[in-house]
Amino acid sequence: MKSEDLNVLVLNCGSSSLKYKIIKMPEEKEILWGEAERIGIKTAGKPFITHVTGTKRRVIEAELNSLDDAFSKALELIKEDTGEDPSIYFDIFAHRYVHPGKFFSSTSRILGKDIGKLRKTLELAPIHNPSSFSLIEKCSTDYTAVPQYAVFDTTFHKTIPEENRTYALPVKMIKKYDLHRVGFHGISHKYVMEEACRFLGVDVKTQKIISCHLGTGGASVCAIKDGKSIFSSMGFTPLEGLIMNTRSGDLDMGYVLNLMYSRKLSIDETEKILNKKSGILGVYAQSSDLRDVMKNLGKDVKADIAFSMYIKRIRKYLGFYSLLLKKPDIMIFTDSIGISSPLVREQACANLEFLGIRLDKDKNWNYPGGIIDAAGPESECRILILPTNEEVMIAREAYRRHKNDICH
Amino acid sequence: MIFVIETGSEDFKIFKYSKDENVYIKEPVRIKSHILRDDEGFINRINSLLAGSEVLEAVSFRVNFGGDIFREKMLPIDSTFKLRMRELIRNSPLGIPPLLETVSAFEDNFPELPLYAFFETSYFNALPDEERYYAVPMEAPADHDVRRWGYHGIYHQFNSNVLPGEKKIISVVLDKLVTVCSSVNGKPFSINLGCTPLEGIMGRTSSGDLDPGIVFYLMRRYNYSIYRIDTLLKKESGFLGLTGYDLETDKLYELAGKDEKTAFAFRVFENQILKSIGEALSVIGGIDAIVFCGCYADSLKPLIFQIIKNLSFLGISIKALPWPDSPGVRDVSVSGSAVRVIVNSLAWNEIVYQDTKNITPKIHPIHPMARI
């Protein structure tokens, strides 16, 4: 083992799931991974953990009433693996943390004094922050000897220029409450940016990139110039921007006021409509999954409208970002929908030749997996299909920071 | 003489046009609304606007909202007009009643006079469905009003036909509200202002587009009431919020070179306009012309110039400032430009006047005094 080798246990919490992965750095070798699902929710199926070490895959049903339960079970499984193979262990924890507010601006080692700061950020991302916070708190009490790092979704967007991140609100209020476009999915956007430039053999500091992170749940588009984020479709919260599975994305604020004003809905009711009942679900009504919508194209008018709206919103950001960047050099499609749906990619890129964007039909429809350039021969813009790997990016960030901490 | 009228809650404005001489008085005559309830006073006031032998041949009204009932840009006002407009009052509770009161005054006191309605929203009834609707649930009956109605249809429809032939056009109205519309062959494909005037680009005191999450955050964390939020977004934001100055856009623009806050606010504004243009561009997949108009189109020429500079990679090139002042529609792009850049100095009321003039020549003028 070389002195700089380090095993990072990456923890990535969702509202009812926990993804974990041990990654050996700096070679970025995945030693094991797992995911606990259906944590603390009532569904037809029981909670379970998928745990994979090398070629050995186990799916274990377990009572996972809380994130604590899931984390304890995951550590138990890792300990069993260590018993069989001593090379399976971890040196540091690396947590994905969505929104640190004004308290942290870059990947940070979390010490006892930082717990209070993080506690003040829970309302900024009510779906994600409380889960991550509870794990960080647990690690800081149960594993005092293991350094833990938080890697933030918002850090990559700290470079968004002032005129792009400012809402037209009273200045005093903007400053007092820190009401700016924050941007999310930064870990993924940064990962695909680095991988795309590595794949194409170009210097990230010279490239103009549009990154489309199209997940089945959240989705965002990011404009990147010379390695820096200059716009994110998600704003102060992950509600703004693209149409998502149950989130409206961009919306007339007059409508939002009308819901509360005229229909006398509470904050919770209104927020629930926009976060849980809108987006694909709001238009299509039968499902929130874009893949269900696509199965019914041409057969159901609502499916046709929902799909057209979803695509049109992506295209609007592509048009805007093309002006911001004065023509992109690279466009990236990533995450589940971005990778698995050639129709989405085709429709998003259609008729954008005047912006230098030309997709190759065969390459797009016959994507073999991995990283490919699906641009046509006359395209001025490289169009990459590139699976994201947030866990690797989290490990990279934590590793860089840890090395830096040790050196200083 | 033709009158073009814009009604408001406290008064109405009359733009006077002499049909034969093609002359109009730029500044409108403002008349307090209470006169509408005094028949004799109203008739005398209207007659006082006509000199000597002038006769009033037609009156056209600007109608800010026509819903999906009024699908044509222009409509001769007939006996069913008011009845149908009343169905839309829930959508425009402050705008429609004063309009109907003014129309009634003309109908009652000048019964032979041709009256026309010109709608600001009708053009957008032709929007594609995916542009018309928002990604929100359509469950309650009131949800069916949640659609992009658009605005500035009079300007955008005019601009969409500014070039002959089949064209892709982006129209930018720089007025008290700023709107951006894309069209192909005269048909609209996108508009950035929708269900209410709050959507889109920031205004003098209105925020424009905003993450709805901000509202929830302020209400939950800092106990803002919905009334406080309403005032905040409509009356305290926009240019006023960013600069502290409550000024007309053209007056504020004069400060941009001297005041950093104002300069910054205009950078945000420019960025928002660029966003809307980029969105429009990708919706129609290209561009043959971009047209700027509205009451600030002339005073914001340097801003237009800067916006077009950002589009130069599309092969657009424009003449250096200053552009010669000339009324009407003028092309400010250079001859080799891949895209025409047009500044349309016609005001909405002039467009309405031109249209009214074109449809009234055969109508025998009625002297308003005839009724008395």
Side-chain angles (χ1 to χ4, degrees), chain A residues 330-350:
Chain A
I330 304 169
M331 190 151 87
I332 304 165
F333 287 98
T334 193
D335 211 28
S336 42
I337 299 289
I339 293 295
S340 67
S341 177
L343 186 63
V344 167
R345 294 190 295 265
E346 184 177 85
Q347 295 289 310
C349 295

Side-chain angles (χ1 to χ4, degrees), chain B residues 179-225:
Chain B
T179 60
V180 179
C181 170
S182 66
S183 64
V184 179
N185 305 337
K187 189 184 167 204
F189 274 77
S190 71
I191 177 74
N192 68 333
L193 182 142
C195 182
T196 78
L198 205 49
E199 191 175 12
I201 294 164
M202 61 193 267
R204 178 171 170 167
T205 63
S206 61
S207 66
D209 287 336
L210 196 70
D211 185 337
I214 287 180
V215 168
F216 304 135
Y217 181 68
L218 290 174
M219 292 180 81
R220 190 173 281 134
R221 182 77 186 262
Y222 297 103
N223 295 319
Y224 273 60
S225 70

Side-chain angles (χ1 to χ4, degrees), chain A residues 120 123-124 162-164 166-171 173-174 177 179 231 235-240 243 248-257 260-261 263 267-268 270-271 273-274 277-279 282-283 305 308-309 312-313 315-317 319-320 322-324 326-327 351-352 354-355, chain B residues 128-131 133-138 140 142-143 146 189 194-196 198-199 202 207 209-222 224 226-227 229-230 232-234 236-238 241-242 264 267-268 271 274-275 277-279 281-283 285-286 310-311 313-314:
Chain A
K120 290 180 183 169
E123 285 175 2
L124 292 171
E162 205 59 32
E163 61 268 29
N164 290 358
T166 300
Y167 294 105
L169 292 168
V171 168
M173 182 173 242
I174 291 173
Y177 302 131
L179 303 175
F231 207 99
F236 179 72
T237 74
L239 179 53
E240 196 177 1
I243 291 174
S248 63
D250 294 338
L251 190 60
D252 186 333
M253 281 306 301
Y255 164 74
V256 182
L257 296 180
M260 289 190 272
Y261 216 175
R263 299 198 210 171
I267 309 169
D268 288 346
T270 312
E271 196 173 26
I273 286 177
L274 301 191
K277 294 186 174 180
S278 295
V283 182
I305 294 177
S308 298
M309 288 172 75
K312 197 165 192 176
R313 189 70 59 82
R315 288 174 60 84
K316 283 185 172 184
Y317 276 96
F320 170 41
S322 294
L323 298 196
L324 268 188
K326 299 185 171 63
K327 270 191 185 174
N351 301 320
L352 295 183
F354 71 103
L355 295 173
Chain B
D129 281 345
E130 72 268 16
E131 181 70 10
Y133 297 113
Y134 294 92
V136 295
M138 304 284 277
D143 289 334
V146 183
F189 274 77
C195 182
T196 78
L198 205 49
E199 191 175 12
M202 61 193 267
S207 66
D209 287 336
L210 196 70
D211 185 337
I214 287 180
V215 168
F216 304 135
Y217 181 68
L218 290 174
M219 292 180 81
R220 190 173 281 134
R221 182 77 186 262
Y222 297 103
Y224 273 60
I226 184 61
Y227 305 102
I229 292 282
D230 194 86
L232 170 74
L233 300 190
K234 292 176 183 169
E236 298 171 2
S237 296
L242 290 179
F264 175 71
R267 287 207 297 279
V268 175
N271 195 48
L274 201 64
K275 180 171 187 278
I277 291 173
E279 290 173 352
L281 201 56
S282 65
V283 167
N310 282 312
L311 307 180
F313 73 96
L314 292 169

Side-chain angles (χ1 to χ4, degrees), chain A residues 40-184:
Chain A
I41 54 168
K42 287 181 182 173
T43 59
K46 281 187 175 174
F48 64 96
I49 290 188
T50 307
H51 184 84
V52 181
T53 314
T55 54
K56 189 174 155 192
R57 180 190 181 94
R58 284 185 281 171
V59 179
I60 304 141
E61 283 193 354
E63 287 298 318
L64 305 177
N65 295 318
S66 67
L67 199 60
D68 266 11
D69 290 347
F71 183 51
S72 299
K73 187 68 188 170
L75 288 174
E76 195 182 295
L77 292 166
I78 292 170
K79 205 172 173 183
E80 284 175 21
D81 290 338
T82 309
E84 293 176 19
D85 179 355
S87 71
I88 297 175
Y89 62 92
F90 57 88
D91 300 292
I92 62 172
F93 291 115
H95 302 267
R96 176 194 179 206
Y97 201 91
V98 167
H99 194 339
K102 60 186 175 187
F103 298 104
F104 299 92
S105 58
S106 60
T107 299
S108 303
R109 182 167 178 180
I110 302 298
L111 302 168
K113 64 183 171 60
D114 299 315
I115 299 291
K117 292 179 191 169
L118 288 177
R119 186 176 279 116
K120 290 180 183 169
T121 69
L122 302 187
E123 285 175 2
L124 292 171
I127 295 173
H128 297 94
N129 276 6
S131 314
S132 303
F133 175 76
S134 73
L135 272 197
I136 289 173
E137 199 174 31
K138 184 173 175 59
C139 291
S140 69
T141 52
D142 295 359
Y143 295 87
T144 48
V146 182
Q148 58 174 338
Y149 290 83
V151 182
F152 305 106
D153 253 329
T154 54
T155 303
F156 184 55
H157 302 297
K158 290 282 174 193
T159 50
I160 293 177
E162 205 59 32
E163 61 268 29
N164 290 358
R165 76 185 197 114
T166 300
Y167 294 105
L169 292 168
V171 168
K172 278 184 188 169
M173 182 173 242
I174 291 173
K175 287 184 179 163
K176 187 175 177 185
Y177 302 131
D178 206 22
L179 303 175
H180 289 100
R181 176 177 303 283
V182 176
F184 297 90

Side-chain angles (χ1 to χ4, degrees), chain A residues 156 159 189-190 193-194 197 203-209 223-230:
Chain A
F156 184 55
T159 50
H189 289 305
K190 189 174 181 185
M193 171 192 80
E194 289 184 356
C197 291
D203 182 358
V204 71
K205 288 182 182 159
T206 63
Q207 297 298 299
K208 298 181 284 185
I209 299 172
I224 302 166
K225 191 176 181 196
D226 304 336
K228 293 175 180 171
S229 168
I230 61 166

Side-chain angles (χ1 to χ4, degrees), chain B residues 1-2 17-23 57 353 357 360-361:
Chain B
M1 183 71 73
I2 288 173
Y17 293 90
S18 171
K19 186 169 166 245
D20 297 328
E21 296 166 27
N22 213 7
V23 174
E57 292 165 81
Y353 163 64
K357 191 173 85 166
T360 56

